[in-house]
Amino acid sequence: MESLMFYVLLLIAIIAGWLLGRLGFSKPTRTSASESDLFQDYFVGLNYLLNDEPDEAIDTFIKALEINSETIETHLALGALLRRRGKVDKAINVHQALLARPNLERDFSNSVRLQLALNYIAAGLLDRAERLLKEILDDGGEAKWDALGQLITIYQTEKEWQKAISCSSKLLKNPRFRKDPALLGGAAHFCCEIAEQHLHNKQFTQVRAEIKRAFTFERKSIRAMLLLANIEKREGNYKAAIKELLRVRAAKPEFISQLLEPLASCYESLSASGEFEKLLRAMVLEDSSTEAALVLAKMVSARSGNAEASDILREQLKHAPSQGALIELLGLQLDGVDEDVASSLKSLLNLVKAQAQGSSEYSCHHCGFETKRFFWMCPSCKKWDKIRPIKELPNRQAGNASS
Ligand SMILES: [Zn+2]
């Protein structure tokens, strides 16, 4: 379907360009000999298209179409097509030739600069892309909004977070982007990146300032809440830390696995293990959290023995089957079993464990990338907040699907 669209679009662009080119034949730039060459080139190009060789077709059409004020848009589009097909060097040549033309209209020269910058980004030549995009910004025309978006991509790649925030703030002044969740979420992450650098250097005041700034972009930024909880815990404000961690649970229960360790340590510091157990039971019941069930089973097993802990895991497996709970339950069942059975059960358990260790735990909901580690930005498609645990919470997942 996509390739059909490609041919249709290409043909429309070419025929339109050709007709416009024909209208320009009264100009003394072409002789009748070159006119027949043009026809020849068109038939060669069409032949390539019909033979499923679009790249050769694009080349032929670009060669055949004289650049003039009527065909310049077609050249711009053909260059972009080349880039999308991975022929970045050729795309750069086409757009550079356009930009070198004297007396280009201001809007048009910005469009060419933008396309050329996209080529440079695709080729990894970020310095050149940045220079062109800044020229568009300095010009102040409508193309500056697109240029800002591309500059954010560049600064994000180069980890120049401050510059990325500054471009995001400028872009957010445009009513068209003011409520763009990806833009707002991205800006909050840029602040969190800086906050983490300060955290690394133990500059806690600066960490708090960046967290505050992150919340101005995204009030429910999970990453900022986790960072704030971290700071509160480090500074001994355990109740405040717990409050932040519970805000994360309310906003995104799929993050429970990341909350359990800091929550356990805060409740321990407050000598409130009973409170923690109550919370874990709520997480198991309301969020079907396997991770909470595992921690709860461990606590209960240490206090009251394996029977009650096994019940918790069995109940959990009924609601949310998972390898983690199964492995834990099998482990508990080994106690009190006679030696021969225990040894064969153990080897079975090791097999299941090995399989669990080899499988990915997170995946990107945008591009499908799978990973054992959690990332805020998908390493593959570079989108923020798209990496989620593979084993989603069943009751919440159903809720999301209907929303
Ligand atoms: Zn992705």
Side-chain angles (χ1 to χ4, degrees):
M1 195 60 201
E2 198 183 312
S3 76
L4 180 68
M5 274 295 285
F6 166 76
Y7 290 128
V8 172
L9 283 174
L10 189 60
L11 269 174
I12 292 171
I14 299 312
I15 292 168
W18 177 70
L19 284 172
L20 288 166
R22 290 276 293 166
L23 292 175
F25 281 165
S26 52
K27 293 174 194 167
T29 48
R30 276 195 178 264
T31 64
S32 59
S34 66
E35 216 173 300
S36 84
D37 286 349
L38 184 65
F39 272 116
Q40 179 76 21
D41 287 339
Y42 270 108
F43 284 117
V44 172
L46 279 175
N47 201 31
Y48 277 130
L49 262 188
L50 294 171
N51 285 323
D52 212 13
E53 294 174 280
D55 295 332
E56 287 74 4
I58 298 171
D59 282 350
T60 311
F61 287 132
I62 283 175
K63 258 185 256 156
L65 264 188
E66 184 197 9
I67 301 181
N68 59 41
S69 55
E70 285 87 17
T71 64
I72 207 159
E73 294 269 6
T74 312
H75 277 268
L76 191 67
L78 285 171
L81 261 180
L82 281 170
R83 180 182 63 247
R84 282 188 208 114
R85 298 188 63 79
K87 312 280 175 187
V88 179
D89 287 351
K90 284 184 180 175
I92 289 174
N93 289 340
V94 170
H95 290 139
Q96 269 176 343
L98 287 180
L99 199 59
R101 286 183 63 79
N103 308 323
L104 276 186
E105 275 177 34
R106 173 191 169 201
D107 282 352
F108 193 77
S109 94
N110 279 337
S111 299
V112 181
R113 278 198 186 96
L114 189 65
Q115 288 298 324
L116 195 50
L118 289 172
N119 298 340
Y120 286 143
I121 291 173
L125 301 167
L126 301 186
D127 285 359
R128 289 195 200 178
E130 184 186 358
R131 217 168 28 239
L132 278 174
L133 293 167
K134 279 183 172 169
E135 281 175 24
I136 300 175
L137 278 196
D138 291 343
D139 186 75
E142 265 307 290
K144 77 174 173 192
W145 306 113
D146 287 325
L148 280 168
Q150 294 307 323
L151 277 171
I152 293 173
T153 307
I154 292 177
Y155 294 139
Q156 183 176 286
T157 309
E158 292 181 328
K159 299 189 190 298
E160 300 237 35
W161 309 117
Q162 201 62 54
K163 287 182 181 173
I165 294 170
S166 142
C167 287
S168 304
S169 300
K170 282 180 194 158
L171 198 48
L172 285 166
K173 289 201 177 108
N174 181 331
R176 200 151 46 98
F177 299 105
R178 194 168 292 149
K179 289 186 177 165
D180 184 330
L183 186 62
L184 290 164
H189 277 291
F190 304 150
C191 300
C192 290
E193 289 284 348
I194 299 175
E196 280 177 4
Q197 286 169 2
H198 288 311
L199 190 65
H200 183 74
N201 299 326
K202 299 197 167 35
Q203 296 162 317
F204 298 138
T205 315
Q206 286 93 325
V207 178
R208 283 186 184 272
E210 286 304 332
I211 291 171
K212 208 169 157 191
R213 183 153 72 142
F215 283 133
T216 64
F217 290 112
E218 191 182 31
R219 207 165 48 85
K220 288 192 173 177
S221 162
I222 299 293
R223 192 176 180 182
M225 289 181 205
L226 286 171
L227 272 166
L228 185 53
N230 185 333
I231 281 287
E232 298 291 17
K233 188 166 140 298
R234 275 167 191 260
E235 297 189 339
N237 308 319
Y238 302 114
K239 283 190 177 163
I242 290 172
K243 195 178 140 207
E244 275 317 303
L245 294 167
L246 293 183
R247 273 181 74 203
V248 174
R249 179 201 167 202
K252 289 262 167 76
E254 62 263 38
F255 276 84
I256 281 179
S257 60
Q258 297 192 34
L259 308 181
L260 294 171
E261 215 182 283
L263 278 171
S265 129
C266 286
Y267 279 111
E268 199 189 332
S269 302
L270 292 168
S271 305
S273 62
E275 286 287 299
F276 185 43
E277 191 178 324
K278 216 163 89 187
L279 175 63
L280 288 172
R281 288 188 188 277
M283 285 171 167
V284 173
L285 205 68
E286 293 159 22
D287 305 314
S288 293
S289 167
T290 296
E291 290 80 8
L294 292 175
V295 176
L296 180 63
K298 240 182 210 123
M299 265 182 101
V300 169
S301 151
R303 191 192 56 213
S304 329
N306 288 351
E308 197 189 331
S310 298
D311 286 346
I312 291 168
L313 294 170
R314 243 182 250 112
E315 197 59 27
Q316 176 64 19
L317 280 166
K318 261 195 250 163
H319 294 107
S322 68
Q323 281 181 329
L326 184 66
I327 290 169
E328 223 31 57
L329 182 60
L330 281 175
L332 290 178
Q333 302 291 302
L334 282 178
D335 277 358
V337 174
D338 85 68
E339 223 168 282
D340 283 351
V341 182
S343 118
S344 61
L345 261 180
K346 251 182 208 160
S347 50
L348 201 67
L349 190 59
N350 286 339
L351 274 177
V352 183
K353 272 186 187 165
Q355 218 216 319
Q357 270 166 7
S359 53
S360 301
E361 288 177 29
Y362 301 93
S363 72
C364 171
H365 280 217
H366 184 75
C367 72
F369 175 81
E370 290 195 359
T371 162
K372 278 194 84 65
R373 251 187 75 196
F374 176 78
F375 293 95
W376 290 109
M377 181 173 72
C378 171
S380 174
C381 67
K382 314 288 177 203
K383 301 251 180 242
W384 295 100
D385 293 320
K386 296 290 176 192
I387 301 271
R388 315 241 173 96
I390 286 178
K391 33 188 182 0
E392 284 274 11
L393 309 173
N395 55 346
R396 298 283 175 154
Q397 199 177 22
N400 285 347
S402 62
S403 65

